[in-house]
Amino acid sequence: MEFKAQEKWRVQQNFSITEKQLDVAIKKMQKRHPLEKWVNEKLANNGEEVVYLKLEFIEWLKDVYYNRKVFYLDAEINFFEKQIVRLENELNLPHKEFDHQAMTVREACNHFEKCINTLYSGLTRMRKNNIDTITLEDGRILIPAEGVQWLSKNYFRSSYLEKIELYKLELQKQKRKAYAEKK
């Protein structure tokens, strides 16, 4: 999927959208995912510029951009998790779970790059969801690994999305390297 692409005009026909609508989708994708290289421009034999869209981008359009049933951040996370599973299977790698360690509130603020008030809001929401595992040790509030994982996946989803997108890009780099070694 990383190596295959389709002409822009074919994608327009498949989705029954105008060129302007597709250009808006491409700009939004580039804003949300600046590290992804889903759009390629090449010169044809006649000197005309042809725009190719990677199949992964086309799938992103279906699963995320045009999916109005799910909140976009949840759709993005599901999309990237699905891509990670696919890549791990292709590379015969075990599924990676992100390590979450127990940490104090101050450490969690640094970890999530959020202020303490935002973190307390997340902790309150976590407690409302019956995950009440916060403990007090040596006069400091300690968030267990399970709580840090819940905060990451359910409250600070944008930072979780960044992590899984970077991991997916790392897997794609490994796949390209393996593909180059085969040739």
Side-chain angles (χ1 to χ4, degrees):
M1 182 176 288
E2 289 76 29
F3 309 114
K4 297 181 181 179
Q6 197 173 52
E7 295 95 344
K8 183 179 174 182
W9 65 270
R10 288 186 197 275
V11 175
Q12 283 177 236
Q13 283 182 339
N14 291 345
F15 283 100
S16 302
I17 57 175
T18 64
E19 185 174 5
K20 187 175 181 179
Q21 289 172 319
L22 186 55
D23 288 341
V24 168
I26 291 171
K27 284 180 182 167
K28 286 201 178 187
M29 176 276 298
Q30 290 172 334
K31 183 180 174 188
R32 288 182 188 168
H33 307 290
L35 300 175
E36 297 289 351
K37 305 291 185 232
W38 287 338
V39 180
N40 293 331
E41 297 175 1
K42 295 182 182 178
L43 286 176
N45 291 338
N46 61 2
E48 192 175 310
E49 188 176 279
V50 180
V51 177
Y52 289 93
L53 304 175
K54 299 278 180 144
L55 294 183
E56 189 173 10
F57 172 68
I58 297 167
E59 196 170 321
W60 180 85
L61 284 173
K62 286 182 220 168
D63 294 350
V64 179
Y65 190 74
Y66 289 118
N67 184 358
R68 302 286 183 233
K69 297 174 186 166
V70 182
F71 181 60
Y72 89 93
L73 207 47
D74 293 332
E76 292 264 14
I77 289 170
N78 291 336
F79 173 77
F80 280 104
E81 285 177 341
K82 186 172 77 173
Q83 295 300 317
I84 286 171
V85 168
R86 178 186 59 80
L87 286 165
E88 287 173 338
N89 290 339
E90 288 176 7
L91 294 169
N92 295 323
L93 296 173
H95 182 63
K96 177 183 176 184
E97 285 291 329
F98 291 99
D99 293 332
H100 298 285
Q101 300 170 351
M103 55 183 73
T104 64
V105 171
R106 291 273 179 222
E107 292 169 342
C109 287
N110 292 335
H111 176 74
F112 292 116
E113 298 175 355
K114 302 291 181 189
C115 70
I116 197 160
N117 291 338
T118 306
L119 185 68
Y120 280 133
S121 297
L123 292 173
T124 302
R125 184 162 306 160
M126 184 175 76
R127 292 179 79 187
K128 285 181 182 177
N129 285 303
N130 297 325
I131 300 173
D132 190 20
T133 56
I134 300 169
T135 58
L136 198 62
E137 287 185 18
D138 299 328
R140 298 185 301 172
I141 299 173
L142 186 69
I143 307 167
E146 173 188 319
V148 174
Q149 180 180 5
W150 188 92
L151 286 170
S152 179
K153 287 187 175 183
N154 298 300
Y155 195 74
F156 301 118
R157 293 179 291 186
S158 57
S159 63
Y160 178 68
L161 177 62
E162 287 176 26
K163 278 184 190 177
I164 62 175
E165 185 174 3
L166 289 173
Y167 179 60
K168 182 197 74 90
L169 289 171
E170 183 182 310
L171 289 174
Q172 285 180 327
K173 187 189 271 185
Q174 288 179 19
K175 183 176 177 181
R176 281 189 202 97
K177 187 176 178 181
Y179 184 74
E181 288 174 358
K182 279 185 178 180
K183 282 190 166 186

